[in-house]
PDB file of all heavy atoms in Angstrom:
ATOM      1  N   ASN A 243     102.034 -33.170-247.108  1.00  0.00           N
ATOM      2  CA  ASN A 243     100.849 -33.828-247.673  1.00  0.00           C
ATOM      3  C   ASN A 243      99.865 -34.213-246.578  1.00  0.00           C
ATOM      4  O   ASN A 243      98.644 -34.077-246.724  1.00  0.00           O
ATOM      5  CB  ASN A 243     101.255 -35.065-248.464  1.00  0.00           C
ATOM      6  CG  ASN A 243     101.967 -34.722-249.757  1.00  0.00           C
ATOM      7  OD1 ASN A 243     101.760 -33.642-250.312  1.00  0.00           O
ATOM      8  ND2 ASN A 243     102.795 -35.620-250.252  1.00  0.00           N
ATOM      9  N   LEU A 244     100.407 -34.691-245.445  1.00  0.00           N
ATOM     10  CA  LEU A 244      99.538 -35.051-244.319  1.00  0.00           C
ATOM     11  C   LEU A 244      98.841 -33.815-243.764  1.00  0.00           C
ATOM     12  O   LEU A 244      97.633 -33.852-243.481  1.00  0.00           O
ATOM     13  CB  LEU A 244     100.357 -35.720-243.226  1.00  0.00           C
ATOM     14  CG  LEU A 244      99.615 -35.925-241.896  1.00  0.00           C
ATOM     15  CD1 LEU A 244      98.438 -36.866-242.077  1.00  0.00           C
ATOM     16  CD2 LEU A 244     100.567 -36.438-240.821  1.00  0.00           C
ATOM     17  N   LEU A 245      99.553 -32.721-243.608  1.00  0.00           N
ATOM     18  CA  LEU A 245      98.947 -31.509-243.055  1.00  0.00           C
ATOM     19  C   LEU A 245      97.809 -31.015-243.932  1.00  0.00           C
ATOM     20  O   LEU A 245      96.792 -30.521-243.435  1.00  0.00           O
ATOM     21  CB  LEU A 245     100.007 -30.422-242.889  1.00  0.00           C
ATOM     22  CG  LEU A 245     101.144 -30.732-241.901  1.00  0.00           C
ATOM     23  CD1 LEU A 245     102.100 -29.554-241.817  1.00  0.00           C
ATOM     24  CD2 LEU A 245     100.600 -31.091-240.525  1.00  0.00           C
ATOM     25  N   ARG A 246      97.965 -31.143-245.245  1.00  0.00           N
ATOM     26  CA  ARG A 246      96.881 -30.757-246.152  1.00  0.00           C
ATOM     27  C   ARG A 246      95.654 -31.630-245.916  1.00  0.00           C
ATOM     28  O   ARG A 246      94.517 -31.139-245.868  1.00  0.00           O
ATOM     29  CB  ARG A 246      97.340 -30.897-247.599  1.00  0.00           C
ATOM     30  CG  ARG A 246      98.460 -29.935-247.996  1.00  0.00           C
ATOM     31  CD  ARG A 246      98.824 -30.071-249.464  1.00  0.00           C
ATOM     32  NE  ARG A 246     100.045 -29.358-249.755  1.00  0.00           N
ATOM     33  CZ  ARG A 246     101.231 -29.922-249.957  1.00  0.00           C
ATOM     34  NH1 ARG A 246     101.340 -31.237-249.902  1.00  0.00           N
ATOM     35  NH2 ARG A 246     102.293 -29.185-250.222  1.00  0.00           N
ATOM     36  N   ARG A 247      95.884 -32.942-245.760  1.00  0.00           N
ATOM     37  CA  ARG A 247      94.762 -33.859-245.523  1.00  0.00           C
ATOM     38  C   ARG A 247      94.079 -33.553-244.194  1.00  0.00           C
ATOM     39  O   ARG A 247      92.841 -33.547-244.101  1.00  0.00           O
ATOM     40  CB  ARG A 247      95.244 -35.314-245.527  1.00  0.00           C
ATOM     41  CG  ARG A 247      95.681 -35.835-246.867  1.00  0.00           C
ATOM     42  CD  ARG A 247      95.643 -37.363-246.908  1.00  0.00           C
ATOM     43  NE  ARG A 247      96.398 -37.981-245.833  1.00  0.00           N
ATOM     44  CZ  ARG A 247      97.705 -38.264-245.900  1.00  0.00           C
ATOM     45  NH1 ARG A 247      98.384 -37.939-246.994  1.00  0.00           N
ATOM     46  NH2 ARG A 247      98.319 -38.844-244.897  1.00  0.00           N
ATOM     47  N   LEU A 248      94.879 -33.288-243.170  1.00  0.00           N
ATOM     48  CA  LEU A 248      94.301 -32.993-241.858  1.00  0.00           C
ATOM     49  C   LEU A 248      93.480 -31.712-241.903  1.00  0.00           C
ATOM     50  O   LEU A 248      92.398 -31.637-241.311  1.00  0.00           O
ATOM     51  CB  LEU A 248      95.409 -32.864-240.817  1.00  0.00           C
ATOM     52  CG  LEU A 248      96.238 -34.112-240.515  1.00  0.00           C
ATOM     53  CD1 LEU A 248      97.287 -33.806-239.454  1.00  0.00           C
ATOM     54  CD2 LEU A 248      95.351 -35.267-240.076  1.00  0.00           C
ATOM     55  N   LYS A 249      93.989 -30.710-242.606  1.00  0.00           N
ATOM     56  CA  LYS A 249      93.264 -29.446-242.723  1.00  0.00           C
ATOM     57  C   LYS A 249      91.931 -29.651-243.432  1.00  0.00           C
ATOM     58  O   LYS A 249      90.897 -29.101-243.034  1.00  0.00           O
ATOM     59  CB  LYS A 249      94.121 -28.431-243.471  1.00  0.00           C
ATOM     60  CG  LYS A 249      93.513 -27.035-243.565  1.00  0.00           C
ATOM     61  CD  LYS A 249      94.517 -26.090-244.207  1.00  0.00           C
ATOM     62  CE  LYS A 249      93.930 -24.663-244.265  1.00  0.00           C
ATOM     63  NZ  LYS A 249      92.765 -24.573-245.151  1.00  0.00           N
ATOM     64  N   ASN A 250      91.948 -30.463-244.487  1.00  0.00           N
ATOM     65  CA  ASN A 250      90.717 -30.716-245.240  1.00  0.00           C
ATOM     66  C   ASN A 250      89.743 -31.597-244.466  1.00  0.00           C
ATOM     67  O   ASN A 250      88.521 -31.431-244.565  1.00  0.00           O
ATOM     68  CB  ASN A 250      91.047 -31.371-246.588  1.00  0.00           C
ATOM     69  CG  ASN A 250      91.777 -30.431-247.527  1.00  0.00           C
ATOM     70  OD1 ASN A 250      91.614 -29.221-247.455  1.00  0.00           O
ATOM     71  ND2 ASN A 250      92.600 -30.985-248.408  1.00  0.00           N
ATOM     72  N   SER A 251      90.277 -32.535-243.695  1.00  0.00           N
ATOM     73  CA  SER A 251      89.424 -33.490-242.984  1.00  0.00           C
ATOM     74  C   SER A 251      88.819 -32.919-241.708  1.00  0.00           C
ATOM     75  O   SER A 251      87.652 -33.158-241.391  1.00  0.00           O
ATOM     76  CB  SER A 251      90.222 -34.758-242.624  1.00  0.00           C
ATOM     77  OG  SER A 251      90.684 -35.400-243.784  1.00  0.00           O
ATOM     78  N   TYR A 252      89.632 -32.145-240.958  1.00  0.00           N
ATOM     79  CA  TYR A 252      89.184 -31.715-239.638  1.00  0.00           C
ATOM     80  C   TYR A 252      88.887 -30.222-239.531  1.00  0.00           C
ATOM     81  O   TYR A 252      88.257 -29.789-238.564  1.00  0.00           O
ATOM     82  CB  TYR A 252      90.232 -32.105-238.594  1.00  0.00           C
ATOM     83  CG  TYR A 252      90.471 -33.593-238.522  1.00  0.00           C
ATOM     84  CD1 TYR A 252      91.705 -34.146-238.842  1.00  0.00           C
ATOM     85  CD2 TYR A 252      89.449 -34.460-238.135  1.00  0.00           C
ATOM     86  CE1 TYR A 252      91.926 -35.516-238.772  1.00  0.00           C
ATOM     87  CE2 TYR A 252      89.649 -35.827-238.062  1.00  0.00           C
ATOM     88  CZ  TYR A 252      90.893 -36.352-238.385  1.00  0.00           C
ATOM     89  OH  TYR A 252      91.101 -37.705-238.314  1.00  0.00           O
ATOM     90  N   GLY A 253      89.363 -29.441-240.493  1.00  0.00           N
ATOM     91  CA  GLY A 253      89.038 -28.016-240.495  1.00  0.00           C
ATOM     92  C   GLY A 253      89.355 -27.347-239.177  1.00  0.00           C
ATOM     93  O   GLY A 253      90.469 -27.417-238.669  1.00  0.00           O
ATOM     94  N   GLY A 254      88.357 -26.711-238.582  1.00  0.00           N
ATOM     95  CA  GLY A 254      88.546 -25.952-237.353  1.00  0.00           C
ATOM     96  C   GLY A 254      88.583 -26.794-236.093  1.00  0.00           C
ATOM     97  O   GLY A 254      88.679 -26.240-234.996  1.00  0.00           O
ATOM     98  N   LYS A 255      88.512 -28.123-236.220  1.00  0.00           N
ATOM     99  CA  LYS A 255      88.547 -28.978-235.035  1.00  0.00           C
ATOM    100  C   LYS A 255      89.951 -29.126-234.457  1.00  0.00           C
ATOM    101  O   LYS A 255      90.110 -29.595-233.323  1.00  0.00           O
ATOM    102  CB  LYS A 255      87.994 -30.365-235.374  1.00  0.00           C
ATOM    103  CG  LYS A 255      86.516 -30.371-235.731  1.00  0.00           C
ATOM    104  CD  LYS A 255      86.051 -31.785-236.036  1.00  0.00           C
ATOM    105  CE  LYS A 255      84.570 -31.820-236.392  1.00  0.00           C
ATOM    106  NZ  LYS A 255      84.128 -33.202-236.699  1.00  0.00           N
ATOM    107  N   VAL A 256      90.964 -28.764-235.218  1.00  0.00           N
ATOM    108  CA  VAL A 256      92.339 -28.900-234.770  1.00  0.00           C
ATOM    109  C   VAL A 256      93.154 -27.696-235.249  1.00  0.00           C
ATOM    110  O   VAL A 256      92.915 -27.176-236.339  1.00  0.00           O
ATOM    111  CB  VAL A 256      92.969 -30.223-235.294  1.00  0.00           C
ATOM    112  CG1 VAL A 256      92.927 -30.281-236.811  1.00  0.00           C
ATOM    113  CG2 VAL A 256      94.393 -30.395-234.793  1.00  0.00           C
ATOM    114  N   THR A 257      94.068 -27.232-234.427  1.00  0.00           N
ATOM    115  CA  THR A 257      94.963 -26.143-234.818  1.00  0.00           C
ATOM    116  C   THR A 257      96.250 -26.739-235.369  1.00  0.00           C
ATOM    117  O   THR A 257      96.913 -27.540-234.690  1.00  0.00           O
ATOM    118  CB  THR A 257      95.306 -25.248-233.607  1.00  0.00           C
ATOM    119  OG1 THR A 257      94.109 -24.655-233.112  1.00  0.00           O
ATOM    120  CG2 THR A 257      96.279 -24.147-234.008  1.00  0.00           C
TER     121      THR A 257
END
Side-chain angles (χ1 to χ4, degrees):
N243 289 334
L244 170 63
L245 297 181
R246 294 183 191 105
R247 291 201 306 272
L248 295 180
K249 184 174 182 295
N250 292 332
S251 298
Y252 299 116
K255 294 181 180 180
V256 58
T257 298

